[in-house]
Amino acid sequence: MRPVPTPVRNDESAASPGASALPTPEAANAAVMNQPLYVAAAKIYPRAVHGWFAAWRWALVWATQLVFYGGPWLRWNERQAVLFDIAQRKFYIFGLVFWPQDVIYLTILLVISALSLFLFTAVAGRLWCGYACPQTVYTEIFLWIERRIEGDRNQRIRLDRGDLGAKKFALKAAKHAVWIALALWTGFTFVGYFTPIRPLGGDVLSLEAGPWATFWILFYGFATYGNAGWMREQVCKYMCPYARFQSAMFDRDTLIITYDGARGEPRGGRARGRDKGSLGDCVDCGICVQVCPTGIDIREGLQYECIGCAACIDGCDQVMDKMGYPRGLIRYSTQHALDNKLGSRAMWRRVFRPRILVYSAVLWAIIFAGAYALYARVPLKVDIIRDRAAIAREVEGGLIENVYRVQLMNTQETARRFRLSAEGLPSLTLVGDPVYEVDGASARLVPVKLRVAPAQVKPGKHPITIDVQAVDDAAIAVREKSIFIVR
Ligand code: SF4
Ligand code: SF4
C-alpha cells in the first residue's frame, strides 16, 4: 500500500548526498510553521461508468434506500412497523417489542456486524466501502443527480471552468435545490425512525415540528448534503477510521482490486486493431483514473484511498472490449496470485483459507444462537424490587411479612393476565389476588406481600423464588429469585 505522504521529511532518504544540504533546525521549524493547515484538494469529476460491478453497486443503492426510505412508512398492528421510541424506551421492529432489558440482542447484532466486517474484509477487502457504506451510496446518488443536470465529466469540467452566466447559475441552482431537497427528505426519514413519521410529516408541513425533531432533520440533512455533495472522497480519505485499520485485516490472499502490471506494461497508446508490438495491454487511456471516485491511479498499486468500488474494473473492461483484448487487466485478484501467477482455481482455494473458515464458523454460530434466542424469547420480563421501607414486619396472627414491588413487562402487544406465586419456605403465602392484567407493550408495577409463620422459619435471610405465569399460556412464564427476611 502506498504510504501517506508526509509534508516535511527529515529522515535520511530526504537528504541530498552532502551533509551540508541538511536544513538547520531553525529552517526545519520554519518549514513546519509555514505549512498550510489545510491543502485544498483538487476537485474530482468521476466519469460515469457501466458494467457488472456498477450494476451491483446500483442494486445495493436501490436495496438499501428502499429499506431506508420505505421502512418508517410500513404499518404493523395499527402502528409504525419500525420505530425506535427512545422517550418510551421501547424499540418496535415489526412484531417484536424490545425493552432496555433486551440489550443482549443489540450486543449480538453488534458482534455479528463486527465479525461480518472482519470476514468480508479478509475475503475481499473494502466490500463494505465500495458497495454498501452510506457515504458511497449517497455519493453515488448525488453524483447521478449532478450528471443528469450538469452532464458527464467533460461537460462538468467545462461548466466549472466557464464564467458564471445565466445557464451556469441555473444549472448549479437546480443541482443544489435537488440535493437539498433529497438531503432534507433523508433527514426527515431518519427522524421518522425515532418519532412516528406520519404525525411528524403533518407537523413539518404545518411548521409545528418540535425543536428536537427540527434540529435533527436539519442536522442529518446538512450532513448528507455536505458529505455526499461536497466532501465526497475526502470523507473516505481523511475522516473514516476504517480506511486506516483495514490494512490490519488484509493479507496476501485477500481479494483486492489490482492492475496486472505484467500484462499491461509497458503501457502506451496505439490505434485500435493495430499490432501492439512490444507494448503491454494498457493503452494508457486514463479511463480507470477518470472513473475513480477518489481520483487515484490503480496502476500505481493498492492505495489506502481505494475504496474498492471496482469502477476502474468496469471502465478498463470497456476499453479492453473496444481494443479486442481479454477483459481483466484490472480485476479482483490477490497479491499471492499476482506474484505467483496462480490460476483462478488456485487463487480461490487460497481465498477460502483457514482464517476465513474460522471467521465463518464463528459468525454462523453467533447468528444461529442469536436467532434461536430471539425465537425462544419469552414475551414477559419481571423485575423484583424489595421494599426497603418495610424489610420484615410482624402482622396480624404473628405472621412475618415481606413486601416486594414486582414490575411485570408484557412485551407482546395484546393485554395479558399473569398469575404470581412464591415458593421456597414452608407456609409461604402470597396475600391478596395473585392475578394482574398488563396492557400490551406495557409495564405494571404491583405490590406483592408474602407471609410466613415464624415458628417454621429461623431468623435470617432465606432464598425464595417468585413465579409469574400467563393465565392463558403456561409457556409464558418467568421465575425470579429473591430473599425473604425473618427477624
Ligand atoms: S482505484 Fe478503482 S476500485 Fe479503487 S476507488 Fe478507484 S475506481 Fe474504485
Ligand atoms: S483503463 Fe485500462 S487500458 Fe486504460 S489506462 Fe487504465 S489500465 Fe490502462
Side-chain angles (χ1 to χ4, degrees), residues 259 281-288 299 315-316 319-320 329-330:
Y259 165 70
D281 278 359
C282 175
V283 298
D284 208 12
C285 60
I287 295 288
C288 51
R299 293 173 298 173
C316 188
V319 177
M320 293 295 106
L329 178 57
I330 300 176

Side-chain angles (χ1 to χ4, degrees), residues 39-71:
V39 180
K43 187 171 175 185
I44 294 171
Y45 296 86
R47 181 183 175 130
V49 67
H50 305 284
W52 207 75
F53 297 103
W56 266 107
R57 199 165 40 261
W58 271 107
L60 277 155
V61 168
W62 277 103
T64 52
Q65 297 319 293
L66 276 176
V67 169
F68 175 71
Y69 290 112

Side-chain angles (χ1 to χ4, degrees), residues 257 288 291-298 303 305-313 330:
I257 290 167
C288 51
V291 297
C292 178
T294 62
I296 59 171
D297 186 345
I298 193 64
Q303 296 148 65
E305 297 98 328
C306 174
I307 59 168
C309 68
C312 51
I313 299 184
I330 300 176

Side-chain angles (χ1 to χ4, degrees), residues 239-250:
M239 292 163 71
C240 177
Y242 180 50
R244 307 287 154 171
F245 68 76
Q246 57 154 341
S247 53
M249 292 184 254
F250 281 24

Side-chain angles (χ1 to χ4, degrees), residues 61 197 202 264 338 449:
V61 168
I197 197 162
L338 281 180
K449 293 177 181 171

